[in-house]
Amino acid sequence: MNPSARPRVFSGIQPTGSPHLGNYLGALRNWVRLQDDHDAYYCIVDLHAMTMPWSPAELHARTLETSASLLSVGIDPEASVLFLQSHVPEHVELSWVLTCIARMGELRRMIQFKERSKGEGESVGVGLFAYPVLQAADVLLYRAHRVPVGEDQRQHIELMRDLAERFNAQFGDTLVVPEAYIRGPGARIMALDDPTQKMSKSAGRPTASILLTDDPGQITKKLKSAKTDSGTQVRAGEDKPELTNLLSIFSLVTGEPTESLEGRFQGRGYGDFKAQLAEAVAAHLTPLRERYEAALADPGELERILATGAKRASEVAADTMADVREAVGLRRPQA
Ligand code: TYM
């Protein structure tokens, strides 16, 4: 298909090093699926990583690790444009323009901001507050139609739609209003040690999440200690959030429907179930871990992929920004 006739997709991930199983099942798997019939832009959002306190050395290293992880899950740098946010300065420029039409009230309502700023009072960072505006700029810069993300990003996508509509109403039709692409039971994978919270690395509890780079030993250990209720029945249901989450993971990594798993584990107890689940997760992740290690062993190639991606992304970004500058009344430099 002619690439320009295909719908465009954009998504981003923070450079935390190895993604966790939630990132993978909620978002990255869809990124891979969509790259075949979409014009795909996938971005490692290193500037977003600076909205919480950070170590420069860690940011530097984690960015390359995250790039290797994206290749390991199947992002094909020929089929997709894979790049770093900071390599395309237009993200920041558009972010400023959008900041000037965004409202304090709408940013204050963001759930992620409320959660991350808890207890910070007046010392909460301005970057954290403006985070969703930069995220809006990421997507709007590419005039993307779809944004494959997990459920936790729905509100941020709503905000970027509002900003695009407001911009177009005020300055003329310039930006595409994107849609969230949130699919399936993987869209909200919960923490292994607390089914009321989403799986996340920022919780700082290693047993909450499985990383794509975990080896079979680590996977078994984490799943063995995963929280379960005091019953014995392996079944999904509103009254059994822990088992529901574990069954979803089992089903997503094997392709076996939840009902079939429930039948298979009837009367067999949690210990047996967790052991088999660990085996299935390890079998699924082992080839990813191997590809990750191979990719990371060749940093020169990773840098080359990111540089090519930045060049391709910059072409689109420059185009959109030229239209935005004109629309809002900024003057071009005259020779
Ligand atoms: P991040 O880096 O936290 O997560 C990357 C992707 O993984 C999804 N995800 C989950 N899905 C299911 N279950 C979970 N427990 C889970 N945890 C995370 C996220 O929804 C996301 O799709 N703000 C974004 C990054 C970003 C972005 C963008 C995304 C910046 N600019 C533009 C889309 C478009 C974030 O922090 O994702």
Side-chain angles (χ1 to χ4, degrees):
M1 206 191 287
N2 169 6
S4 59
R6 300 186 299 185
R8 185 168 288 165
V9 70
F10 181 101
S11 201
I13 184 166
Q14 295 218 36
T16 60
S18 173
H20 54 68
L21 208 53
N23 298 133
Y24 174 60
L25 298 174
L28 302 182
R29 271 183 136 186
N30 288 332
W31 293 18
V32 175
R33 286 186 190 121
L34 292 168
Q35 71 183 346
D36 293 332
D37 52 6
H38 283 68
D39 190 21
Y41 288 76
Y42 297 134
C43 181
I44 295 158
V45 294
D46 48 359
L47 298 171
H48 274 111
M50 296 163 62
T51 56
M52 296 293 267
W54 78 100
S55 135
E58 280 216 358
L59 175 59
H60 196 80
R62 296 289 104 82
T63 304
L64 213 59
E65 290 165 16
T66 303
S67 317
S69 283
L70 293 179
L71 297 182
S72 82
V73 302
I75 298 298
D76 170 2
E78 301 291 326
S80 298
V81 178
L82 178 63
F83 69 105
L84 301 188
Q85 188 183 33
S86 65
H87 285 177
V88 183
E90 283 88 348
H91 287 249
V92 179
E93 192 181 356
L94 182 57
S95 176
W96 178 253
V97 174
L98 296 175
T99 299
C100 296
I101 63 165
R103 297 169 184 155
M104 295 287 283
E106 63 193 352
L107 293 184
R108 219 181 261 130
R109 278 197 295 276
M110 293 292 115
I111 296 164
Q112 203 160 307
F113 172 71
K114 285 192 204 162
E115 282 171 356
R116 296 213 172 143
S117 61
K118 241 179 221 150
E120 298 281 321
E122 288 293 300
S123 4
V124 62
V126 176
L128 192 64
F129 188 63
Y131 178 114
V133 183
L134 178 59
Q135 181 165 350
D138 294 340
V139 175
L140 303 181
L141 194 53
Y142 297 89
R143 294 176 161 134
H145 304 98
R146 290 183 192 143
V147 192
V149 286
E151 187 62 52
D152 62 331
Q153 295 300 318
R154 193 182 285 282
Q155 199 187 24
H156 286 166
I157 312 286
E158 278 305 312
L159 176 78
M160 71 180 70
R161 288 171 58 81
D162 290 347
L163 292 176
E165 278 166 5
R166 192 174 307 152
F167 185 100
N168 288 343
Q170 229 166 306
F171 304 111
D173 226 356
T174 312
L175 301 171
V176 168
V177 181
E179 272 176 23
Y181 182 97
I182 300 171
R183 294 286 185 283
R188 193 165 174 80
I189 299 292
M190 308 314 283
L192 298 179
D193 58 350
D194 181 356
T196 65
Q197 288 183 33
K198 67 175 181 185
M199 185 179 282
S200 144
K201 274 167 101 174
S202 58
R205 307 182 312 265
T207 50
S209 59
I210 291 177
L211 306 186
L212 301 189
T213 47
D214 282 347
D215 63 34
Q218 290 165 307
I219 294 170
T220 305
K221 207 165 144 218
K222 288 180 180 180
L223 283 171
K224 230 186 203 166
S225 69
K227 194 164 178 253
T228 40
D229 56 48
S230 57
T232 53
Q233 262 187 319
V234 178
R235 78 170 160 78
E238 263 175 35
D239 56 330
K240 290 172 85 76
E242 295 92 348
L243 266 297
T244 305
N245 189 42
L246 296 179
L247 277 162
S248 291
I249 294 173
F250 206 145
S251 169
L252 286 161
V253 297
T254 58
E256 184 171 346
T258 303
E259 305 76 58
S260 151
L261 288 165
E262 286 171 336
R264 190 140 72 81
F265 286 98
Q266 205 172 15
R268 284 172 57 183
Y270 293 163
D272 192 6
F273 170 70
K274 283 176 164 181
Q276 301 268 332
L277 170 59
E279 222 171 88
V281 171
H284 190 90
L285 294 188
T286 295
L288 273 66
R289 200 179 66 253
E290 288 167 0
R291 286 200 290 272
Y292 169 81
E293 276 159 14
L296 206 56
D298 191 353
E301 172 65 3
L302 280 171
E303 305 268 16
R304 195 192 58 74
I305 289 170
L306 295 174
T308 308
K311 214 162 146 235
R312 290 167 69 190
S314 291
E315 286 168 18
V316 181
D319 235 42
T320 310
M321 251 345 274
D323 291 348
V324 167
R325 282 190 212 114
E326 188 172 327
V328 300
L330 294 170
R331 295 182 69 93
R332 274 178 213 232
Q334 301 294 331

